[in-house]
Amino acid sequence: MPTDFQTRFERYAELAVKAWLNVQRGQRLALVAPLEAAPLARVISKYAYLNGSPFVQFLWNDSEAARIRFEFAPRDSWKEYPEEFALLAQRALERGDALLSITAQDPDVLRGLDLEFVSRAQKVAAEKNKPVQDAVRRNQVNWLGIGMPVPAWAKRVFPALSEQDAVARLWDAIFYVCRVDEPDPVAAWRAHAADLGARRAILNQKQYTALHFYGGETDLTVGLPQGHVWVGVTDTTPGGITFVANAPTEEIFTLPHRERVDGVVTSSKPLSVRGNVIEKFVLTFQGGRVVQIRANQHRDVLEKLLMTDDGAARLGEVALVPHSSPVSKLGLFFYNPLFDENAASHLALGSCYAQCLQGGVEMSDQELTAHGANDSLVHLDFMVGSDQINVDGIGADDTREPVMRAGEWAFAT
Ligand code: ZN
Ligand code: ZN
């Protein structure tokens, strides 16, 4: 295992370009990154060029500048949006560019701000970016989201360490969960993808009508629509490019039926919502909709998010992750859903992924809804799995089969 930072950093960038995003010879790359991630973005561009990409376009963003706006801009200016920025991303997708987004954000960047203004402005941004989000959701191009430590994020994860040590420790954690330190990272990724792929195939063949999550305070039945498709690990574009959309990735997931979720579910890990960390909350569902929220803190933040639109209070994703996944084994809360959602089985409030429904990618919004798929401007993952949670698959004839026991896979491949 390589121990020097530069080698691991380069391996990470190379895995991103080759093993995950799978940039094609002749394919341009659009790289969305915060200013802080410039060093990583540059190394990624090097591997993109080495892999035959003719051009890498950088789309920079700046969360500190955004914070200054949220704090000082006139309160009636929430409608302002740089149309050109959304158009650049849209053009890139139309051209068939690969899309890579780096997350390197202070999880508390929005703390203490005027929530009303922030959520209005973020809603405008989500609306302007909907064509891009939809194209991504439909896997129109190969895309990838990865993370990179910044001091504020690292200090949040390791508050007792110095800034420098915290960043180093967070890098170690990212390299570990991304299997960068395996003797042969590419081979390790292939083995991992093969195992999850086999489970995905079995669940697709089973076509359970619902999953029952139970254990601890959780007792929740999640209906699955007819023709649901389990996806995860790898995706394929209409043009046939296979890629890994999120690294690390430990989940396989599908969509719940927007009207058939009933019972009570308890979060099993802290959740970061718009810069506020909620340690624990309990949601009660009836007919697919959240009818009660209990939380020991920031209940208003969660409630506000659920009121974004009708779909925000319904589920768009159900994902299975074994309790023994590297992210879970590490036992670290990353304060970043890109990592934390790989720590446990989870649900997401809000939009679903159209490819989780047979023929879904070609369906109109109305058709998707008619098939039980949920739509929303938000997509918020929250963890529900732990070593206490069992999952049963319920068949069309009401028979039950074990899918997970005490947080681990309970069927053979
Ligand atoms: Zn997920
Ligand atoms: Zn999700």
Side-chain angles (χ1 to χ4, degrees):
M1 137 180 174
T3 48
D4 73 292
F5 179 77
Q6 198 54 35
T7 305
R8 299 159 90 202
F9 189 68
E10 294 258 341
R11 272 183 163 207
Y12 186 58
E14 190 177 10
L15 270 173
V17 168
K18 288 188 180 172
W20 303 331
L21 187 57
N22 191 12
V23 177
Q24 304 289 293
R25 196 154 285 281
Q27 185 183 32
R28 282 172 54 146
L29 169 62
L31 218 168
V32 183
L35 296 176
E36 297 90 330
L40 178 60
R42 293 185 194 116
V43 180
I44 285 173
S45 77
K46 178 179 94 178
Y47 282 100
Y49 289 128
L50 284 172
N51 227 39
S53 175
F55 190 69
V56 179
Q57 179 168 16
F58 295 92
L59 302 172
W60 300 110
N61 57 60
D62 182 349
S63 57
E64 263 312 306
R67 188 185 164 90
I68 290 170
R69 177 196 170 204
F70 292 144
E71 198 171 341
F72 299 107
R75 294 301 86 180
D76 59 357
S77 66
W78 48 270
K79 274 194 193 134
E80 298 295 330
Y81 188 79
E83 314 279 343
E84 302 77 11
F85 192 81
L87 279 176
L88 277 175
Q90 223 169 308
R91 290 278 140 73
L93 287 167
E94 284 161 11
R95 200 166 38 226
D97 296 2
L99 184 68
L100 194 156
S101 165
I102 303 175
T103 309
Q105 217 191 56
D106 173 3
D108 292 327
V109 72
L110 301 179
R111 189 165 54 184
L113 292 174
D114 171 5
L115 269 185
E116 194 63 38
F117 184 82
V118 172
S119 60
R120 280 180 168 185
Q122 287 184 336
K123 191 173 173 183
V124 170
E127 279 164 359
K128 300 285 184 190
N129 278 298
K130 193 150 197 305
V132 171
Q133 283 309 318
D134 284 348
V136 163
R137 216 165 57 144
R138 287 164 196 243
N139 291 329
Q140 200 174 300
V141 299
N142 41 336
W143 60 277
L144 168 68
I146 57 169
M148 182 190 136
V150 285
W153 178 23
K155 279 289 281 181
R156 190 80 169 85
V157 181
F158 300 105
L161 300 183
S162 72
E163 222 167 60
Q164 203 186 354
D165 289 349
V167 168
R169 281 284 294 280
L170 190 51
W171 267 122
D172 283 344
I174 291 176
F175 291 149
Y176 169 72
V177 298
C178 288
R179 296 174 168 81
V180 168
D181 291 334
E182 296 280 338
D184 183 345
V186 175
W189 263 92
R190 287 195 180 132
H192 168 56
D195 175 68
L196 267 188
R199 298 192 184 280
R200 186 180 64 191
I202 290 166
L203 289 176
N204 276 329
Q205 189 231 318
K206 292 281 186 188
Q207 282 296 305
Y208 293 125
T209 59
L211 295 178
H212 182 207
F213 288 78
Y214 58 99
E217 293 167 75
T218 291
D219 184 0
L220 186 78
T221 302
V222 178
L224 302 177
Q226 222 172 15
H228 66 269
V229 181
W230 285 90
V231 297
V233 203
T234 53
D235 287 293
T236 306
T237 67
I241 304 171
T242 297
F243 63 100
V244 174
N246 289 303
T249 183
E250 304 294 332
E251 61 170 333
I252 48 176
F253 63 98
T254 189
L255 81 173
H257 192 292
R258 67 190 298 280
E259 289 170 352
R260 290 201 288 113
V261 181
D262 293 279
V264 178
V265 67
T266 308
S267 65
S268 59
K269 307 256 180 192
L271 174 72
S272 177
V273 189
R274 293 184 171 154
N276 301 274
V277 176
I278 307 172
E279 292 298 328
K280 193 177 169 183
F281 60 94
V282 182
L283 300 178
T284 305
F285 285 85
Q286 238 171 52
R289 208 163 202 295
V290 175
V291 293
Q292 194 191 24
I293 307 168
R294 279 181 287 150
N296 55 358
Q297 73 236 93
H298 303 305
R299 188 184 170 279
D300 56 327
V301 179
L302 201 52
E303 195 171 28
K304 194 154 261 162
L305 189 103
L306 263 62
M307 290 185 332
T308 307
D309 49 34
D310 178 60
R314 297 179 184 275
L315 294 184
E317 175 186 344
V318 52
L320 299 175
V321 177
H323 184 64
S324 59
S325 83
V327 179
S328 171
K329 261 201 249 171
L330 198 61
L332 192 67
F333 185 59
F334 283 86
Y335 295 92
N336 182 333
L338 185 63
F339 293 87
D340 294 320
E341 77 159 335
N342 290 293
S345 294
H346 56 272
L347 303 170
L349 290 159
S351 60
C352 70
Y353 293 90
Q355 78 267 27
C356 290
L357 197 62
Q358 251 170 52
V361 174
E362 285 81 36
M363 285 181 194
S364 67
D365 288 350
Q366 287 87 338
E367 283 174 298
L368 282 167
T369 307
H371 281 82
N374 194 36
D375 190 23
S376 172
L377 290 172
V378 303
H379 179 94
L380 181 73
D381 297 287
F382 62 99
M383 302 303 115
V384 301
S386 72
D387 57 1
Q388 290 183 28
I389 297 291
N390 302 310
V391 182
D392 282 354
I394 301 173
D397 52 358
D398 264 348
T399 51
R400 285 169 168 269
E401 288 176 343
V403 174
M404 290 187 131
R405 284 292 175 266
E408 299 299 332
W409 293 116
F411 61 95
T413 54

PDB file of all heavy atoms in Angstrom, residues 344-375:
ATOM      1  N   ALA A 344     -25.022   3.042   5.816  1.00  0.00           N
ATOM      2  CA  ALA A 344     -26.169   2.269   6.288  1.00  0.00           C
ATOM      3  C   ALA A 344     -27.269   2.273   5.236  1.00  0.00           C
ATOM      4  O   ALA A 344     -27.288   3.131   4.348  1.00  0.00           O
ATOM      5  CB  ALA A 344     -26.699   2.879   7.580  1.00  0.00           C
ATOM      6  N   SER A 345     -28.183   1.313   5.397  1.00  0.00           N
ATOM      7  CA  SER A 345     -29.377   1.349   4.555  1.00  0.00           C
ATOM      8  C   SER A 345     -30.068   2.677   4.783  1.00  0.00           C
ATOM      9  O   SER A 345     -30.035   3.216   5.892  1.00  0.00           O
ATOM     10  CB  SER A 345     -30.312   0.203   4.917  1.00  0.00           C
ATOM     11  OG  SER A 345     -29.699  -1.026   4.586  1.00  0.00           O
ATOM     12  N   HIS A 346     -30.662   3.232   3.726  1.00  0.00           N
ATOM     13  CA  HIS A 346     -31.267   4.551   3.888  1.00  0.00           C
ATOM     14  C   HIS A 346     -32.491   4.742   3.012  1.00  0.00           C
ATOM     15  O   HIS A 346     -32.773   3.951   2.117  1.00  0.00           O
ATOM     16  CB  HIS A 346     -30.237   5.650   3.622  1.00  0.00           C
ATOM     17  CG  HIS A 346     -29.569   5.570   2.283  1.00  0.00           C
ATOM     18  ND1 HIS A 346     -28.433   4.840   2.070  1.00  0.00           N
ATOM     19  CD2 HIS A 346     -29.888   6.123   1.092  1.00  0.00           C
ATOM     20  CE1 HIS A 346     -28.063   4.955   0.816  1.00  0.00           C
ATOM     21  NE2 HIS A 346     -28.934   5.720   0.186  1.00  0.00           N
ATOM     22  N   LEU A 347     -33.196   5.823   3.322  1.00  0.00           N
ATOM     23  CA  LEU A 347     -34.348   6.265   2.534  1.00  0.00           C
ATOM     24  C   LEU A 347     -34.045   7.683   2.099  1.00  0.00           C
ATOM     25  O   LEU A 347     -33.204   8.346   2.690  1.00  0.00           O
ATOM     26  CB  LEU A 347     -35.611   6.248   3.399  1.00  0.00           C
ATOM     27  CG  LEU A 347     -35.974   4.913   4.041  1.00  0.00           C
ATOM     28  CD1 LEU A 347     -37.090   5.108   5.069  1.00  0.00           C
ATOM     29  CD2 LEU A 347     -36.407   3.911   2.970  1.00  0.00           C
ATOM     30  N   ALA A 348     -34.713   8.159   1.059  1.00  0.00           N
ATOM     31  CA  ALA A 348     -34.575   9.569   0.694  1.00  0.00           C
ATOM     32  C   ALA A 348     -35.948  10.182   0.520  1.00  0.00           C
ATOM     33  O   ALA A 348     -36.832   9.602  -0.110  1.00  0.00           O
ATOM     34  CB  ALA A 348     -33.762   9.730  -0.585  1.00  0.00           C
ATOM     35  N   LEU A 349     -36.107  11.353   1.115  1.00  0.00           N
ATOM     36  CA  LEU A 349     -37.307  12.152   0.885  1.00  0.00           C
ATOM     37  C   LEU A 349     -37.113  12.879  -0.436  1.00  0.00           C
ATOM     38  O   LEU A 349     -36.017  13.355  -0.724  1.00  0.00           O
ATOM     39  CB  LEU A 349     -37.477  13.174   2.005  1.00  0.00           C
ATOM     40  CG  LEU A 349     -37.850  12.577   3.363  1.00  0.00           C
ATOM     41  CD1 LEU A 349     -37.503  13.523   4.487  1.00  0.00           C
ATOM     42  CD2 LEU A 349     -39.334  12.217   3.383  1.00  0.00           C
ATOM     43  N   GLY A 350     -38.181  12.964  -1.239  1.00  0.00           N
ATOM     44  CA  GLY A 350     -38.099  13.756  -2.460  1.00  0.00           C
ATOM     45  C   GLY A 350     -38.005  12.927  -3.724  1.00  0.00           C
ATOM     46  O   GLY A 350     -38.571  11.841  -3.809  1.00  0.00           O
ATOM     47  N   SER A 351     -37.244  13.454  -4.685  1.00  0.00           N
ATOM     48  CA  SER A 351     -37.272  12.899  -6.044  1.00  0.00           C
ATOM     49  C   SER A 351     -36.697  11.493  -6.102  1.00  0.00           C
ATOM     50  O   SER A 351     -35.822  11.121  -5.316  1.00  0.00           O
ATOM     51  CB  SER A 351     -36.488  13.813  -6.979  1.00  0.00           C
ATOM     52  OG  SER A 351     -35.156  13.905  -6.543  1.00  0.00           O
ATOM     53  N   CYS A 352     -37.215  10.727  -7.070  1.00  0.00           N
ATOM     54  CA  CYS A 352     -36.689   9.394  -7.321  1.00  0.00           C
ATOM     55  C   CYS A 352     -35.757   9.473  -8.526  1.00  0.00           C
ATOM     56  O   CYS A 352     -35.571  10.536  -9.107  1.00  0.00           O
ATOM     57  CB  CYS A 352     -37.827   8.424  -7.600  1.00  0.00           C
ATOM     58  SG  CYS A 352     -38.623   8.726  -9.198  1.00  0.00           S
ATOM     59  N   TYR A 353     -35.158   8.349  -8.864  1.00  0.00           N
ATOM     60  CA  TYR A 353     -34.364   8.253 -10.086  1.00  0.00           C
ATOM     61  C   TYR A 353     -35.193   7.476 -11.104  1.00  0.00           C
ATOM     62  O   TYR A 353     -35.635   6.358 -10.829  1.00  0.00           O
ATOM     63  CB  TYR A 353     -33.044   7.546  -9.806  1.00  0.00           C
ATOM     64  CG  TYR A 353     -32.133   8.356  -8.904  1.00  0.00           C
ATOM     65  CD1 TYR A 353     -32.180   8.207  -7.526  1.00  0.00           C
ATOM     66  CD2 TYR A 353     -31.262   9.296  -9.442  1.00  0.00           C
ATOM     67  CE1 TYR A 353     -31.359   8.969  -6.696  1.00  0.00           C
ATOM     68  CE2 TYR A 353     -30.442  10.059  -8.622  1.00  0.00           C
ATOM     69  CZ  TYR A 353     -30.488   9.888  -7.256  1.00  0.00           C
ATOM     70  OH  TYR A 353     -29.690  10.645  -6.442  1.00  0.00           O
ATOM     71  N   ALA A 354     -35.393   8.107 -12.285  1.00  0.00           N
ATOM     72  CA  ALA A 354     -36.295   7.517 -13.284  1.00  0.00           C
ATOM     73  C   ALA A 354     -35.855   6.129 -13.732  1.00  0.00           C
ATOM     74  O   ALA A 354     -36.684   5.299 -14.100  1.00  0.00           O
ATOM     75  CB  ALA A 354     -36.412   8.455 -14.490  1.00  0.00           C
ATOM     76  N   GLN A 355     -34.548   5.860 -13.663  1.00  0.00           N
ATOM     77  CA  GLN A 355     -34.087   4.541 -14.129  1.00  0.00           C
ATOM     78  C   GLN A 355     -34.460   3.433 -13.148  1.00  0.00           C
ATOM     79  O   GLN A 355     -34.244   2.262 -13.439  1.00  0.00           O
ATOM     80  CB  GLN A 355     -32.583   4.554 -14.427  1.00  0.00           C
ATOM     81  CG  GLN A 355     -31.672   4.474 -13.227  1.00  0.00           C
ATOM     82  CD  GLN A 355     -31.270   5.865 -12.729  1.00  0.00           C
ATOM     83  OE1 GLN A 355     -31.980   6.833 -12.912  1.00  0.00           O
ATOM     84  NE2 GLN A 355     -30.127   5.948 -12.080  1.00  0.00           N
ATOM     85  N   CYS A 356     -35.034   3.796 -11.998  1.00  0.00           N
ATOM     86  CA  CYS A 356     -35.496   2.790 -11.037  1.00  0.00           C
ATOM     87  C   CYS A 356     -36.862   2.224 -11.419  1.00  0.00           C
ATOM     88  O   CYS A 356     -37.435   1.422 -10.674  1.00  0.00           O
ATOM     89  CB  CYS A 356     -35.560   3.376  -9.629  1.00  0.00           C
ATOM     90  SG  CYS A 356     -33.946   3.721  -8.927  1.00  0.00           S
ATOM     91  N   LEU A 357     -37.393   2.676 -12.549  1.00  0.00           N
ATOM     92  CA  LEU A 357     -38.675   2.162 -13.024  1.00  0.00           C
ATOM     93  C   LEU A 357     -38.470   1.698 -14.464  1.00  0.00           C
ATOM     94  O   LEU A 357     -37.862   2.410 -15.264  1.00  0.00           O
ATOM     95  CB  LEU A 357     -39.721   3.281 -12.963  1.00  0.00           C
ATOM     96  CG  LEU A 357     -41.185   2.885 -13.027  1.00  0.00           C
ATOM     97  CD1 LEU A 357     -41.562   2.004 -11.837  1.00  0.00           C
ATOM     98  CD2 LEU A 357     -42.064   4.130 -13.050  1.00  0.00           C
ATOM     99  N   GLN A 358     -38.984   0.496 -14.768  1.00  0.00           N
ATOM    100  CA  GLN A 358     -38.858  -0.014 -16.135  1.00  0.00           C
ATOM    101  C   GLN A 358     -39.476   0.971 -17.126  1.00  0.00           C
ATOM    102  O   GLN A 358     -40.638   1.331 -16.984  1.00  0.00           O
ATOM    103  CB  GLN A 358     -39.595  -1.347 -16.247  1.00  0.00           C
ATOM    104  CG  GLN A 358     -38.670  -2.548 -16.402  1.00  0.00           C
ATOM    105  CD  GLN A 358     -39.437  -3.840 -16.260  1.00  0.00           C
ATOM    106  OE1 GLN A 358     -40.452  -4.027 -16.928  1.00  0.00           O
ATOM    107  NE2 GLN A 358     -38.992  -4.704 -15.373  1.00  0.00           N
ATOM    108  N   GLY A 359     -38.700   1.417 -18.086  1.00  0.00           N
ATOM    109  CA  GLY A 359     -39.194   2.384 -19.067  1.00  0.00           C
ATOM    110  C   GLY A 359     -39.315   3.793 -18.519  1.00  0.00           C
ATOM    111  O   GLY A 359     -39.773   4.703 -19.208  1.00  0.00           O
ATOM    112  N   GLY A 360     -38.900   3.988 -17.281  1.00  0.00           N
ATOM    113  CA  GLY A 360     -39.078   5.269 -16.607  1.00  0.00           C
ATOM    114  C   GLY A 360     -38.369   6.433 -17.277  1.00  0.00           C
ATOM    115  O   GLY A 360     -38.853   7.569 -17.261  1.00  0.00           O
ATOM    116  N   VAL A 361     -37.203   6.150 -17.858  1.00  0.00           N
ATOM    117  CA  VAL A 361     -36.408   7.214 -18.474  1.00  0.00           C
ATOM    118  C   VAL A 361     -37.166   7.865 -19.631  1.00  0.00           C
ATOM    119  O   VAL A 361     -37.033   9.056 -19.873  1.00  0.00           O
ATOM    120  CB  VAL A 361     -35.034   6.646 -18.922  1.00  0.00           C
ATOM    121  CG1 VAL A 361     -34.229   7.681 -19.687  1.00  0.00           C
ATOM    122  CG2 VAL A 361     -34.256   6.176 -17.695  1.00  0.00           C
ATOM    123  N   GLU A 362     -38.020   7.071 -20.312  1.00  0.00           N
ATOM    124  CA  GLU A 362     -38.768   7.611 -21.462  1.00  0.00           C
ATOM    125  C   GLU A 362     -40.118   8.207 -21.031  1.00  0.00           C
ATOM    126  O   GLU A 362     -40.806   8.812 -21.837  1.00  0.00           O
ATOM    127  CB  GLU A 362     -39.044   6.517 -22.508  1.00  0.00           C
ATOM    128  CG  GLU A 362     -37.831   6.117 -23.351  1.00  0.00           C
ATOM    129  CD  GLU A 362     -36.922   5.131 -22.629  1.00  0.00           C
ATOM    130  OE1 GLU A 362     -37.436   4.266 -21.895  1.00  0.00           O
ATOM    131  OE2 GLU A 362     -35.691   5.264 -22.775  1.00  0.00           O
ATOM    132  N   MET A 363     -40.507   8.022 -19.781  1.00  0.00           N
ATOM    133  CA  MET A 363     -41.846   8.469 -19.355  1.00  0.00           C
ATOM    134  C   MET A 363     -41.893   9.975 -19.104  1.00  0.00           C
ATOM    135  O   MET A 363     -40.907  10.581 -18.702  1.00  0.00           O
ATOM    136  CB  MET A 363     -42.244   7.757 -18.050  1.00  0.00           C
ATOM    137  CG  MET A 363     -42.650   6.314 -18.235  1.00  0.00           C
ATOM    138  SD  MET A 363     -43.130   5.609 -16.625  1.00  0.00           S
ATOM    139  CE  MET A 363     -43.135   3.862 -17.037  1.00  0.00           C
ATOM    140  N   SER A 364     -43.078  10.545 -19.318  1.00  0.00           N
ATOM    141  CA  SER A 364     -43.295  11.945 -18.951  1.00  0.00           C
ATOM    142  C   SER A 364     -43.450  12.018 -17.433  1.00  0.00           C
ATOM    143  O   SER A 364     -43.634  10.988 -16.769  1.00  0.00           O
ATOM    144  CB  SER A 364     -44.560  12.461 -19.623  1.00  0.00           C
ATOM    145  OG  SER A 364     -45.687  11.792 -19.078  1.00  0.00           O
ATOM    146  N   ASP A 365     -43.422  13.233 -16.885  1.00  0.00           N
ATOM    147  CA  ASP A 365     -43.592  13.397 -15.437  1.00  0.00           C
ATOM    148  C   ASP A 365     -44.920  12.797 -14.973  1.00  0.00           C
ATOM    149  O   ASP A 365     -44.986  12.157 -13.926  1.00  0.00           O
ATOM    150  CB  ASP A 365     -43.531  14.886 -15.059  1.00  0.00           C
ATOM    151  CG  ASP A 365     -42.107  15.426 -15.166  1.00  0.00           C
ATOM    152  OD1 ASP A 365     -41.176  14.608 -15.351  1.00  0.00           O
ATOM    153  OD2 ASP A 365     -41.933  16.650 -15.072  1.00  0.00           O
ATOM    154  N   GLN A 366     -45.975  13.001 -15.782  1.00  0.00           N
ATOM    155  CA  GLN A 366     -47.303  12.480 -15.409  1.00  0.00           C
ATOM    156  C   GLN A 366     -47.311  10.950 -15.384  1.00  0.00           C
ATOM    157  O   GLN A 366     -47.868  10.344 -14.466  1.00  0.00           O
ATOM    158  CB  GLN A 366     -48.392  12.967 -16.374  1.00  0.00           C
ATOM    159  CG  GLN A 366     -48.760  14.427 -16.230  1.00  0.00           C
ATOM    160  CD  GLN A 366     -47.859  15.356 -17.068  1.00  0.00           C
ATOM    161  OE1 GLN A 366     -46.743  14.989 -17.436  1.00  0.00           O
ATOM    162  NE2 GLN A 366     -48.348  16.540 -17.359  1.00  0.00           N
ATOM    163  N   GLU A 367     -46.682  10.362 -16.402  1.00  0.00           N
ATOM    164  CA  GLU A 367     -46.632   8.890 -16.440  1.00  0.00           C
ATOM    165  C   GLU A 367     -45.860   8.328 -15.247  1.00  0.00           C
ATOM    166  O   GLU A 367     -46.269   7.332 -14.647  1.00  0.00           O
ATOM    167  CB  GLU A 367     -45.962   8.420 -17.739  1.00  0.00           C
ATOM    168  CG  GLU A 367     -46.843   8.510 -18.966  1.00  0.00           C
ATOM    169  CD  GLU A 367     -46.063   8.171 -20.237  1.00  0.00           C
ATOM    170  OE1 GLU A 367     -45.092   8.905 -20.540  1.00  0.00           O
ATOM    171  OE2 GLU A 367     -46.395   7.184 -20.889  1.00  0.00           O
ATOM    172  N   LEU A 368     -44.758   9.007 -14.928  1.00  0.00           N
ATOM    173  CA  LEU A 368     -43.956   8.556 -13.778  1.00  0.00           C
ATOM    174  C   LEU A 368     -44.802   8.570 -12.507  1.00  0.00           C
ATOM    175  O   LEU A 368     -44.806   7.612 -11.734  1.00  0.00           O
ATOM    176  CB  LEU A 368     -42.724   9.451 -13.606  1.00  0.00           C
ATOM    177  CG  LEU A 368     -41.553   9.189 -14.569  1.00  0.00           C
ATOM    178  CD1 LEU A 368     -40.543  10.332 -14.524  1.00  0.00           C
ATOM    179  CD2 LEU A 368     -40.863   7.869 -14.239  1.00  0.00           C
ATOM    180  N   THR A 369     -45.535   9.661 -12.310  1.00  0.00           N
ATOM    181  CA  THR A 369     -46.382   9.778 -11.122  1.00  0.00           C
ATOM    182  C   THR A 369     -47.430   8.674 -11.103  1.00  0.00           C
ATOM    183  O   THR A 369     -47.672   8.044 -10.064  1.00  0.00           O
ATOM    184  CB  THR A 369     -47.078  11.160 -11.084  1.00  0.00           C
ATOM    185  OG1 THR A 369     -46.073  12.168 -11.222  1.00  0.00           O
ATOM    186  CG2 THR A 369     -47.830  11.372  -9.789  1.00  0.00           C
ATOM    187  N   ALA A 370     -48.040   8.423 -12.261  1.00  0.00           N
ATOM    188  CA  ALA A 370     -49.080   7.384 -12.354  1.00  0.00           C
ATOM    189  C   ALA A 370     -48.526   6.011 -11.984  1.00  0.00           C
ATOM    190  O   ALA A 370     -49.249   5.153 -11.488  1.00  0.00           O
ATOM    191  CB  ALA A 370     -49.677   7.363 -13.759  1.00  0.00           C
ATOM    192  N   HIS A 371     -47.220   5.803 -12.217  1.00  0.00           N
ATOM    193  CA  HIS A 371     -46.601   4.521 -11.879  1.00  0.00           C
ATOM    194  C   HIS A 371     -46.110   4.462 -10.433  1.00  0.00           C
ATOM    195  O   HIS A 371     -45.489   3.485 -10.028  1.00  0.00           O
ATOM    196  CB  HIS A 371     -45.446   4.224 -12.830  1.00  0.00           C
ATOM    197  CG  HIS A 371     -45.892   3.707 -14.153  1.00  0.00           C
ATOM    198  ND1 HIS A 371     -46.318   4.528 -15.179  1.00  0.00           N
ATOM    199  CD2 HIS A 371     -46.016   2.437 -14.633  1.00  0.00           C
ATOM    200  CE1 HIS A 371     -46.654   3.803 -16.216  1.00  0.00           C
ATOM    201  NE2 HIS A 371     -46.487   2.520 -15.927  1.00  0.00           N
ATOM    202  N   GLY A 372     -46.333   5.548  -9.688  1.00  0.00           N
ATOM    203  CA  GLY A 372     -45.935   5.525  -8.274  1.00  0.00           C
ATOM    204  C   GLY A 372     -44.608   6.194  -7.989  1.00  0.00           C
ATOM    205  O   GLY A 372     -44.121   6.161  -6.865  1.00  0.00           O
ATOM    206  N   ALA A 373     -44.006   6.827  -9.024  1.00  0.00           N
ATOM    207  CA  ALA A 373     -42.705   7.479  -8.825  1.00  0.00           C
ATOM    208  C   ALA A 373     -42.904   8.874  -8.259  1.00  0.00           C
ATOM    209  O   ALA A 373     -43.812   9.589  -8.671  1.00  0.00           O
ATOM    210  CB  ALA A 373     -41.951   7.556 -10.154  1.00  0.00           C
ATOM    211  N   ASN A 374     -42.042   9.257  -7.330  1.00  0.00           N
ATOM    212  CA  ASN A 374     -42.184  10.556  -6.672  1.00  0.00           C
ATOM    213  C   ASN A 374     -41.296  11.604  -7.341  1.00  0.00           C
ATOM    214  O   ASN A 374     -40.208  11.308  -7.817  1.00  0.00           O
ATOM    215  CB  ASN A 374     -41.792  10.415  -5.199  1.00  0.00           C
ATOM    216  CG  ASN A 374     -42.231  11.596  -4.375  1.00  0.00           C
ATOM    217  OD1 ASN A 374     -43.306  12.159  -4.629  1.00  0.00           O
ATOM    218  ND2 ASN A 374     -41.421  11.995  -3.421  1.00  0.00           N
ATOM    219  N   ASP A 375     -41.784  12.851  -7.369  1.00  0.00           N
ATOM    220  CA  ASP A 375     -41.004  13.949  -7.951  1.00  0.00           C
ATOM    221  C   ASP A 375     -40.956  15.101  -6.958  1.00  0.00           C
ATOM    222  O   ASP A 375     -41.928  15.352  -6.241  1.00  0.00           O
ATOM    223  CB  ASP A 375     -41.626  14.405  -9.274  1.00  0.00           C
ATOM    224  CG  ASP A 375     -40.714  15.367 -10.030  1.00  0.00           C
ATOM    225  OD1 ASP A 375     -39.488  15.340  -9.786  1.00  0.00           O
ATOM    226  OD2 ASP A 375     -41.223  16.141 -10.862  1.00  0.00           O
TER     227      ASP A 375
END
